[in-house]
Amino acid sequence: MFQLSRQTVGRQRSLYAGSFVALAVGVFMLGLAATTTAATIAYHLPASSTIGVTTLGGPDTPPQHVRIALANADVSGLQTVLSMVGAICGFITVFVIASTFAFAVASRRRELGLLRLIGATPRQLRRMIIGEALVVAFAASVTGAIGAQLATPLLLRRASYTELAPVQLEPASPWVPLAIAVGAGMLVALLGARSAARRAGKVAPIDALREASLEPPRIGPVRIGFGLLFLAGAIVMLSLIRPSSGDGAVPLAMFTPMVIVIALTLLAPLVVPVVGRVWAAPLVAWTHVSGRLARSNVVAAPRRSASLAAPILAISAIAGSMVLSLSFAADSSAAAIRDAVRAPVVVTGSAPVTDAGVKAADAALPTELVRIAAEYAQLEGVEGIDPAVAAQTRDLGVLDGDLRRLTGLTVAVSKEMAGFEHYRVGDEIPVVFLDRTPARLRVVAIVKDAFGVNPSFMIPLDVARKHSPDAQVERTFVLPADGVAPGELVRRIPNAELASDWEAAQSDGLRKGNQFGLVMLLGPAALYSAIAIANTLLMSGLQRRNEFVTSRLLGATDRQLQRMVLWESSLVGAVALTLGGATTLTVGILIRRAMTSGLTDVPLTIPWNILLAIAALCLTLAVGAALAPAAYLLRSVGQSVPSTMRNSRSTPSERAASAS
């Protein structure tokens, strides 16, 4: 049976070319993430860039000695980004491969019926399809792995000495990460082909006699059950995106669309015809025949339409949700900074503020320390403050305890951190300062969250200076003396600006950082999705030769058929973008509600240019990838139409000229 699978793939190269390219690119992305992660793991930190600490241990975990990288040698940011890129690419790969194999089986329904007619059993057909998947997967995985190995040095050169990896990274041994990528590619192919193989086993011998490629009108109860199960899980995840979720709201907003995409893809044969009819109503009224044919093709073949819509739905829902989530996160951060800063003037730089018109200058000292927990140790950013001055220049919002007791080895903790670690006033937090001095900081206050203004941990200013003598002040919040206008201080003090201008600059910087993160996370996934959309639609177009021949014999012109393909691909894209847009809108509303709780006058920034660009790119790819094979097939069909049929459509004068 495997020999038959190999021969089938060789004979059906055009049918499996899309699956090969999609899987090869997917394994390339996974392999690149794996080899780069291996380089970060293999990087040996110099002793001067680490601090050795011993965890506290717990009932089930003994104390362990670990080394924590300092900020100037920490590559965990790159590891986090790579893991998210791998997860997104792997997720999209599963759906792309599943849709391409499902389409391949649907287009070979008559061939599979012939095999059943000559005695092949459903089990043999399933094994044949799985064998074809293994043949394609092995070739594509090896190709993608080789490409990833060749591209790894270039990516490491680009990533070195950046914010994500402030060190020089060198390639590590590629065998383990590439083996993982190849294995993941094989597994993804098997997962994607499994449902297609089951569908192939259900093909009846009578399908060998069918000329029309009609699909069963119903989908199985198992698929419906899993679709409803994932939909219920998505609803539960959506219900968890609320103000009490804290920092967990953003990961939920990023991963919930994946669960929604799974549910919608499983239920797509039921959902696509309904949404397709809605979009087709104005199209039919405007175009009449071509629009009606496009609607009939989309509605009559919901499985094929669902396979074509799957990659568009996946990238539009995931990308749109991430774009909105990060934009709303920047909005809430800007509002939090504005609400937390009371001082009207901000001075950047380390120079001390000594102007006579200054009533209070909050020159906080940023530094770091290693916080030790029961099972881990973590580098934390802290700030040394003078609580009496800081309380005048910013809203510290003491929720419990007393900031006046912030003296000696004490610490004030933000509400969010206290909630995560269950800190209470009076608790002691084991830490190690940058000068390798261990200490236990007693919690004397819990303050409100103010991202960008108040860090998660604040210690006395003299303690910060003692243990971090090289630390430099980065910004000073300045409160003018009575009768002194803020604008006058801005003119007199170097590097001073109004707090409103500083807040706007912080917001712009955060948005630029978010855009960089979007490029890192969605750039590879978007490129891969674009290839997948084009591949899937090209496969669909190249299998419609018989349909075009029949339509030409019935009198349809090339222009009419091209318009039909145009409207059909537009309908499929519109359906997918509608479902993706609904997902994006739902997640966006919930994440904004969660992030803006407790804030006033939060700006609403919707990046329409990015969202519309995603939609336009998906539609352009869908239409272009559908029209290109249609034009090619129509040229070849025009040569195969009998001359008598061409003469029957010619004018009398043309027939007379031809006869002479």
Side-chain angles (χ1 to χ4, degrees), residues 123-144:
R123 182 178 181 182
Q124 288 175 326
L125 290 185
R126 289 194 297 267
R127 289 169 56 192
M128 183 185 72
I129 297 298
I130 293 296
E132 293 171 6
L134 288 175
V135 171
V136 175
F138 180 77
S141 299
V142 171
T143 302

Side-chain angles (χ1 to χ4, degrees), residues 19-29 97 139-141 143-145 528:
S19 300
F20 173 86
V21 173
L23 188 57
V25 176
V27 173
F28 171 77
M29 298 294 184
I97 298 302
S141 299
T143 302
Y528 177 52

Side-chain angles (χ1 to χ4, degrees), residues 468-642:
S468 301
D470 297 330
Q472 298 290 327
V473 174
E474 296 178 353
R475 49 107 177 100
T476 303
F477 296 119
V478 176
L479 193 66
D482 296 338
V484 178
E488 183 180 349
L489 279 184
V490 169
R491 291 189 296 270
R492 284 159 40 180
I493 301 176
N495 300 323
E497 58 184 330
L498 294 176
S500 57
D501 297 335
W502 179 81
E503 292 160 7
Q506 297 300 304
S507 178
D508 292 341
L510 182 59
R511 293 187 188 279
K512 290 180 180 178
N514 288 345
Q515 291 177 358
F516 176 74
L518 280 175
V519 172
M520 290 290 295
L521 291 176
L522 292 181
L527 175 62
Y528 177 52
S529 298
I531 296 174
I533 293 169
N535 272 335
T536 307
L537 288 163
L538 284 171
M539 288 173 59
S540 171
L542 292 174
Q543 300 302 314
R544 304 180 69 175
R545 179 182 176 83
N546 292 337
E547 177 186 341
F548 289 162
V549 169
T550 304
S551 300
R552 287 290 302 274
L553 291 174
L554 293 174
T557 64
D558 289 353
R559 181 167 296 183
Q560 288 174 329
L561 292 176
Q562 287 176 343
R563 284 202 299 265
M564 180 193 71
V565 173
L566 170 64
W567 301 134
E568 184 179 341
S569 59
S570 299
L571 271 180
V572 171
V575 169
L577 290 176
T578 299
L579 298 176
T583 302
T584 298
L585 179 63
T586 303
V587 172
I589 292 174
L590 292 176
I591 193 66
R592 179 171 173 83
R593 173 175 168 270
M595 289 182 171
T596 58
S597 177
L599 299 175
T600 59
D601 298 330
V602 181
L604 176 61
T605 305
I606 300 178
W608 290 111
N609 54 342
I610 300 178
L611 295 176
L612 293 177
I614 293 173
L617 178 61
C618 290
L619 276 179
T620 302
L621 288 172
V623 173
L627 288 178
Y632 168 76
L633 288 176
L634 287 173
R635 283 197 300 269
S636 62
V637 166
Q639 299 173 1
S640 63
V641 173

Side-chain angles (χ1 to χ4, degrees), residues 398-406 411-414 418 424-426 442-447:
V398 179
L399 304 176
D400 191 13
D402 189 352
L403 268 180
R404 291 174 296 181
R405 297 165 57 193
L406 190 65
V411 63
V413 183
S414 69
R424 299 291 182 267
V425 173
R442 182 167 50 86
V443 179
V444 296
I446 296 176
V447 300

Side-chain angles (χ1 to χ4, degrees), residues 333-384:
S333 297
I337 292 174
R338 184 202 61 223
D339 291 349
V341 176
R342 292 175 175 172
V345 177
V346 180
V347 179
T348 56
S350 58
V353 178
T354 58
D355 192 278
V358 173
K359 178 181 179 181
D362 178 14
L365 190 68
T367 183
E368 295 171 324
L369 53 76
V370 177
R371 180 174 59 89
I372 304 173
E375 299 178 358
Y376 66 94
Q378 184 171 332
L379 188 69
E380 301 281 4
V382 301
E383 212 171 61

Side-chain angles (χ1 to χ4, degrees), residues 33 37 76-89 255 521:
T37 302
S76 61
L78 182 60
Q79 293 176 353
T80 301
V81 170
L82 290 173
S83 63
M84 294 187 67
V85 169
I88 294 174
C89 289
F255 288 105
L521 291 176

Side-chain angles (χ1 to χ4, degrees), residues 158-478:
R158 292 294 182 90
S160 298
Y161 300 115
T162 62
E163 292 182 1
L164 295 176
V167 296
Q168 177 66 45
L169 295 175
E170 298 293 341
S173 175
W175 300 111
V176 173
L178 291 184
I180 294 174
V182 171
M186 301 287 287
L187 178 62
V188 163
L190 290 178
L191 290 175
R194 188 169 177 269
S195 60
R198 280 202 312 272
R199 193 176 305 160
K202 296 178 181 178
V203 175
I206 192 65
D207 286 327
L209 305 179
R210 289 183 177 176
E211 291 293 336
S213 56
L214 297 177
E215 297 179 359
R218 299 179 180 176
I219 61 176
V222 175
R223 179 168 180 170
I224 294 177
F226 275 103
L228 294 176
L229 181 64
F230 277 102
L231 185 61
I235 293 174
V236 172
M237 295 178 70
L238 288 172
S239 66
L240 295 176
I241 305 177
R242 53 193 181 201
S244 59
S245 301
D247 277 353
V250 175
L252 280 171
M254 290 185 177
F255 288 105
T256 300
M258 296 185 182
V259 182
I260 296 177
V261 168
I262 296 175
L264 291 178
T265 302
L266 290 172
L267 301 174
L270 300 177
V271 178
V272 167
V274 176
V275 183
R277 285 191 178 95
V278 174
W279 275 106
L283 183 63
V284 170
W286 179 42
T287 61
H288 300 294
V289 177
S290 58
R292 194 179 302 274
L293 287 174
R295 181 190 63 183
S296 300
N297 285 336
V298 172
V299 173
R303 294 175 185 267
R304 184 184 69 178
S305 301
S307 298
L308 300 178
I312 303 177
L313 168 61
I315 191 61
S316 61
I318 295 173
S321 298
M322 291 184 67
V323 168
L324 272 191
S325 297
L326 292 179
S327 179
F328 292 162
D331 289 342
S332 63
S333 297
I337 292 174
R338 184 202 61 223
D339 291 349
V341 176
R342 292 175 175 172
V345 177
V346 180
V347 179
T348 56
S350 58
V353 178
T354 58
D355 192 278
V358 173
K359 178 181 179 181
D362 178 14
L365 190 68
T367 183
E368 295 171 324
L369 53 76
V370 177
R371 180 174 59 89
I372 304 173
E375 299 178 358
Y376 66 94
Q378 184 171 332
L379 188 69
E380 301 281 4
V382 301
E383 212 171 61
I385 66 169
D386 182 341
V389 176
Q392 301 179 56
T393 61
R394 42 181 155 162
D395 182 13
L396 296 177
V398 179
L399 304 176
D400 191 13
D402 189 352
L403 268 180
R404 291 174 296 181
R405 297 165 57 193
L406 190 65
T407 58
L409 294 177
T410 58
V411 63
V413 183
S414 69
K415 175 186 175 183
E416 185 177 72
M417 180 60 67
F420 283 154
E421 300 296 336
H422 306 290
Y423 292 141
R424 299 291 182 267
V425 173
D427 291 349
E428 291 188 344
I429 304 176
V431 300
V432 175
F433 292 102
L434 293 185
D435 60 359
R436 274 70 175 177
T437 302
R440 299 182 73 90
L441 301 179
R442 182 167 50 86
V443 179
V444 296
I446 296 176
V447 300
K448 64 183 294 185
D449 301 314
F451 178 78
V453 178
N454 301 331
S456 298
F457 297 94
M458 289 177 284
I459 60 177
L461 185 58
D462 57 344
V463 174
R465 286 173 178 165
K466 175 182 177 181
H467 295 287
S468 301
D470 297 330
Q472 298 290 327
V473 174
E474 296 178 353
R475 49 107 177 100
T476 303
F477 296 119
V478 176

